Amino acid sequence: MGDERQTYTVDEALIAMGFGKFQMLVLAYAGMGWISEAMEMMLLSFVGPAVESLWGLSSQQESLISSVVFAGMLVGAYSWGVVSDKYGRRKGFLITAIFTSTAGLLSAFSPNYICLLIFRWFVGLGVGGGPVLSSWFLEFIPAPNRGTWMVIFSAFWTVGTIFEASVAWFVMPTLGWRWLLGFSAIPSSLLLLFYGVTPESPRYLCLKGRTNEAVAILETIARLNGQTLPPGALICDSQLELNEKSVPTEETHLLSTTSKVTSPGSASPKSNDGSSSTEIDSDVGPSSSILVLLSPKLAKSTLLLWVVFFGNAFAYYGLVLLTTELSTGNERCSQTELHSENPPRNVNYRDVFIASFAEFPGLLLSAATVDKLGRKFSMSAMFFLSLIFLFPLVFHQPTNVTTSLLFGARICITATFTVVYIYAPEIYPTSVRSTGVGVASSMGRIGGMICPMVAVGLVHGCHQTIAILMFEFVILASGICVLFFPFETKGRELSDSVYESPKRTSDVA
């Protein structure tokens, strides 16, 4: 009876050790993956116009080069989310890096249009695993600093887009699109090079009952950060929650008389049917994980999140494509005389480069608001503000005005994209976190598949007004959905189990 042991959770350990050298190394690795995804997505606005002229493609065929990447991402976002929830975060992002780097490099050697589509689909399949890296990094951050550091993590995306625009500016006019594809595959190759030193998420290990491995990683964090672990034994949050809330059976009553909580390595608390609730929750399969996401406790958040991800991706990638399409499309529509069947299209790399810098103010805006005003207010305000920037583009504007308005809209959409990638992992428990974010990201990929048809197809067809009004409608619907999210996650701890209610950091003592 006097053998009660002190315990601590992963969250309490991370708060005690703070954000230090270890997390900086994790940030550098995850950030390289984010740069890789950003570069692969940004090059879509350069490769399409280049091969259209070279291979004599129609506007629909050019749109398909972008859409097929999103089709691959649609499959990859869900698949790698399930893999990382079941087999570990490290295995998830290893597979994504292999697909992205290999298919990205092979794309540069595509002999024809069909081969290019196939290789770009596999690139999309790999790039679709990006949410796995964000979930992995999130699980190493102390709760009080989570919003700020996730914004900093998002800055790597901005670095990737600006770097890609810079490379394209110099490479495309001289070496051509094949070299751009080859250079863009380098960051994902670096992930493979340093994969051997990456740690598994201690939160994932704890949930899976691999407590000793989780403690070893926490000890490494403490050593590199120059801190010490809290006294006592590590316990999973969901296990602690079950000890507090489960109906005691004869077995759990007996255990409670001998120790305060279940010690590491011993059996998890049992449900009334004799099975471990934490084990059931942590070993959900692909189909049952979808059912968990649509369970009464998560269904509203999940469905609203799907709409927001769809709208965010539709708007963001649409703005990236509009930066090139509005200038070249307006030139085509202003000409009344017929030219050759496929006249060369001159992409204004300067405008693309300038528009890419809009992401820095977007990041600063999200950093300033995400932990002060909350996730929901930050997202909804930026969605509605972007509507104001886009509305003048319903009518043809001078090139400089168009670039300025797209710059402002991209600031806002970058901010919403940043915040939703913070909010999404926070609303899901560890047992389905990567799957939840992956499926939501898949919905975003559907938006990405459709947006080239709007941004490229309609603008090519001289229907700019219809295209912009469609963007306005999608963004408005997304902003309204944010207002209906059931709860704010600012200051909340991450939960491990669906059965666990998230606590605010102020509740941890």
Side-chain angles (χ1 to χ4, degrees):
M1 293 186 180
D3 192 27
E4 292 189 355
R5 300 181 61 183
Q6 284 185 295
T7 62
Y8 62 89
T9 65
V10 172
D11 265 314
E12 291 166 344
L14 292 174
I15 291 171
M17 294 181 294
F19 194 102
K21 183 179 178 181
F22 182 92
Q23 282 89 351
M24 292 298 291
L25 294 173
V26 173
L27 173 62
Y29 187 88
M32 182 58 65
W34 222 225
I35 287 174
S36 170
E37 180 170 347
M39 292 178 67
E40 292 291 352
M41 299 313 300
M42 187 67 185
L43 65 78
L44 296 177
S45 59
F46 305 117
V47 173
V51 297
E52 182 203 27
S53 302
L54 178 65
W55 289 336
L57 306 179
S58 67
S59 60
Q60 290 77 18
Q61 288 174 313
E62 182 197 346
S63 300
L64 191 58
I65 296 173
S66 296
S67 295
V68 76
V69 176
F70 289 105
M73 294 172 78
L74 174 65
V75 177
Y78 171 70
S79 302
W80 310 140
V82 171
V83 167
S84 68
D85 279 336
K86 189 168 181 63
Y87 300 106
R89 312 304 192 219
R90 293 181 77 245
K91 287 185 174 65
F93 59 71
L94 170 64
I95 298 172
T96 66
I98 291 173
F99 273 97
T100 306
S101 59
T102 304
L105 185 60
L106 290 175
S107 297
F109 298 96
S110 300
N112 53 47
Y113 175 68
I114 298 300
C115 288
L116 180 63
L117 288 181
I118 293 171
F119 290 139
R120 296 315 293 172
W121 185 88
F122 279 106
V123 169
L125 184 68
V127 169
V132 176
L133 278 169
S134 64
S135 295
W136 177 66
F137 175 61
L138 180 82
E139 293 174 356
F140 285 101
I141 310 176
N145 311 113
R146 201 164 56 226
T148 301
W149 281 107
M150 285 304 288
V151 171
I152 293 172
F153 168 69
S154 299
F156 283 90
W157 178 282
T158 301
V159 171
T161 60
I162 293 175
F163 183 67
E164 184 71 15
S166 305
V167 173
W169 197 353
F170 290 103
V171 171
M172 289 293 287
T174 54
L175 299 176
W177 62 273
R178 294 184 185 276
W179 282 91
L180 182 65
L181 287 171
F183 286 135
S184 300
I186 293 175
S188 54
S189 302
L190 293 177
L191 294 180
L192 296 175
L193 183 63
F194 294 102
Y195 173 77
V197 298
T198 57
E200 183 56 88
S201 163
R203 184 182 294 277
Y204 167 83
L205 293 172
C206 190
L207 181 69
K208 292 296 185 179
R210 295 157 62 181
T211 311
N212 291 337
E213 295 175 62
V215 170
I217 291 174
L218 291 173
E219 288 173 346
T220 302
I221 297 174
R223 186 175 69 255
L224 288 178
N225 289 4
Q227 303 292 333
T228 56
L229 283 174
L234 174 65
I235 185 172
C236 184
D237 283 327
S238 57
Q239 187 179 339
L240 182 60
E241 186 84 4
L242 285 167
N243 281 336
E244 292 173 351
K245 294 187 176 181
S246 61
V247 178
T249 61
E250 181 180 354
E251 181 183 5
T252 56
H253 177 73
L254 180 62
L255 286 171
S256 66
T257 61
T258 57
S259 66
K260 184 177 180 181
V261 293
T262 309
S263 58
S266 60
S268 298
K270 306 284 181 181
S271 61
N272 289 332
D273 65 357
S275 60
S276 170
S277 296
T278 51
E279 189 175 301
I280 292 172
D281 195 33
S282 65
D283 286 333
V284 290
S287 57
S288 55
S289 64
I290 294 293
L291 296 179
V292 171
L293 297 180
L294 296 175
S295 63
K297 190 167 185 178
L298 295 176
K300 182 179 180 181
S301 297
T302 294
L303 294 175
L304 290 171
L305 196 65
W306 288 357
V307 176
V308 173
F309 262 85
F310 177 93
N312 237 322
F314 185 92
Y316 178 84
Y317 295 117
L319 289 172
V320 171
L321 292 171
L322 281 176
T323 305
T324 55
E325 295 302 328
L326 281 183
S327 59
T328 58
N330 286 344
E331 287 174 7
R332 285 186 172 191
C333 294
S334 64
Q335 294 171 352
T336 57
E337 296 180 5
L338 292 176
H339 292 73
S340 59
E341 299 130 2
N342 282 292
R345 294 172 58 194
N346 297 315
V347 175
N348 192 325
Y349 296 104
R350 180 188 67 86
D351 285 352
V352 176
F353 184 74
I354 291 172
S356 299
F357 271 95
E359 301 202 7
F360 276 123
L363 287 170
L364 293 175
L365 199 57
S366 56
T369 59
V370 69
D371 279 331
K372 290 184 174 62
L373 303 179
R375 281 55 160 159
K376 290 177 61 178
F377 182 84
S378 300
M379 280 190 282
S380 59
M382 289 303 103
F383 270 129
F384 297 140
L385 187 57
S386 66
L387 294 175
I388 299 174
F389 283 110
L390 279 179
F391 187 74
L393 293 176
V394 168
F395 310 100
H396 291 291
Q397 303 292 340
T399 301
N400 289 338
V401 174
T402 298
T403 301
S404 299
L405 291 171
L406 290 175
F407 188 92
R410 191 156 166 183
I411 288 175
C412 299
I413 295 301
T414 297
T416 61
F417 222 136
T418 301
V419 178
V420 77
Y421 265 105
I422 297 171
Y423 184 81
E426 291 177 332
I427 65 174
Y428 290 120
T430 302
S431 55
V432 291
R433 180 168 296 123
S434 287
T435 301
V437 179
V439 174
S441 181
S442 293
M443 296 301 159
R445 306 319 178 192
I446 295 175
M449 290 168 60
I450 297 173
C451 82
M453 303 173 193
V454 178
V456 179
L458 288 177
V459 174
H460 275 203
C462 301
H463 301 299
Q464 177 176 327
T465 298
I466 299 175
I468 297 300
L469 287 177
M470 287 187 66
F471 278 105
E472 293 273 288
F473 173 77
V474 171
I475 293 171
L476 177 63
S478 301
I480 292 173
C481 284
V482 170
L483 298 177
F484 287 96
F485 278 136
F487 58 87
E488 173 61 59
T489 59
K490 182 184 74 171
R492 287 176 179 260
E493 286 188 352
L494 298 177
S495 60
D496 282 339
S497 168
V498 176
Y499 311 109
E500 179 188 349
S501 300
K503 301 185 290 294
R504 294 195 174 275
T505 53
S506 57
D507 298 333
V508 181

